[in-house]
Amino acid sequence: SSYTDSNGIVQDAKSKGIKSVDNHNEYNYIFCVFDLDTVKNKQFLLEIEQYNREYEKISSSIYPILTFPCIEFWFILHYNCHSAPFSNGQNRSVGENAKVEFKKYHENYHETSYECIDDLVPKYKTAMHNAKVLMKQQINCNSSNPVTNIHQLIMLLHNIYSRTQDYEYQKELDTFVLNNIN
């Protein structure tokens, strides 16, 4: 999407989903990735829920992929199972503090750094493992700081790439994330 705000991303996803039906080329899935540190309210989740109910018979569902505080937390999981909460501090937002933490692994990181992202690709299985371990810990202590469900999407993509028979998005952990975001 060319949008960066949650409502714009969802409106764009809905439009693309409906257009795919009109073109007789329906998508199997529509995923939208959100950094929760910048989300001001949960209205976008209600929009997704309404779209999914309204179009469940004719179009693919929209799945929210959520990370708190931000995508850089997912990047950190490529190196370690970071479970310490992030907070505002040292004149930085919670998201900026997550980026500072990630820069311990990639000192020259910036949001458009393709080289950095390329370095992460071979480590995706470590990130998936760390995300699963973290999710269990967070569920046990009922915490959503930090949290992500990106590994659910990565597992689906891995299964499709590997041509396994498991092409269903496993959303069992999504409920915990959705119910515990502020």
Side-chain angles (χ1 to χ4, degrees):
S1 177
S2 59
Y3 294 94
T4 57
D5 66 292
S6 54
N7 290 322
I9 291 168
V10 171
Q11 294 307 317
D12 194 31
K14 288 168 41 176
S15 173
K16 288 178 180 179
I18 293 167
K19 188 175 181 179
S20 75
V21 171
D22 293 344
N23 292 335
H24 305 288
N25 190 23
E26 294 86 7
Y27 296 127
N28 293 334
Y29 299 99
I30 301 171
F31 293 99
C32 298
V33 179
F34 301 98
D35 286 355
L36 294 177
D37 66 318
T38 59
V39 172
K40 302 297 182 224
N41 66 50
K42 294 184 189 182
Q43 181 61 38
F44 73 101
L45 295 173
L46 300 174
E47 292 278 334
I48 291 172
E49 189 177 301
Q50 179 183 0
Y51 170 88
N52 288 345
R53 271 195 318 270
E54 191 172 330
Y55 292 98
E56 71 182 328
K57 301 256 191 270
I58 62 168
S59 181
S60 56
S61 293
I62 297 174
Y63 296 88
I65 303 300
L66 308 163
T67 298
F68 184 83
C70 54
I71 192 74
E72 285 78 8
F73 171 65
W74 168 247
F75 299 164
I76 292 167
L77 291 174
H78 287 71
Y79 297 94
N80 92 49
C81 189
H82 181 101
S83 61
F86 290 96
S87 61
N88 297 326
Q90 298 181 345
N91 294 321
R92 292 188 296 255
S93 70
V94 65
E96 290 169 328
N97 280 326
K99 291 174 187 176
V100 167
E101 181 68 24
F102 179 63
K103 285 184 178 185
K104 292 178 181 177
Y105 304 100
H106 278 274
E107 167 180 313
N108 296 321
Y109 170 75
H110 56 87
E111 292 179 357
T112 58
S113 173
Y114 292 109
E115 181 181 309
C116 173
I117 302 306
D118 286 343
D119 288 346
L120 296 175
V121 172
K123 300 172 178 68
Y124 81 94
K125 287 183 180 179
T126 299
M128 286 190 334
H129 171 77
N130 287 337
K132 288 176 189 177
V133 168
L134 174 74
M135 184 63 79
K136 286 180 184 174
Q137 291 174 356
Q138 298 301 67
I139 288 171
N140 287 338
C141 65
N142 199 30
S143 174
S144 59
N145 181 7
V147 72
T148 186
N149 66 345
I150 291 178
H151 61 290
Q152 303 280 91
L153 169 58
I154 301 302
M155 180 57 76
L156 173 68
L157 295 174
H158 174 78
N159 289 347
I160 292 170
Y161 176 79
S162 301
R163 299 187 188 274
T164 69
Q165 297 302 311
D166 190 9
Y167 292 175
E168 287 294 315
Y169 178 74
Q170 304 298 315
K171 49 186 197 173
E172 67 270 359
L173 299 176
D174 294 1
T175 302
F176 172 77
V177 177
L178 291 168
N179 288 338
N180 286 286
I181 62 173
N182 296 326

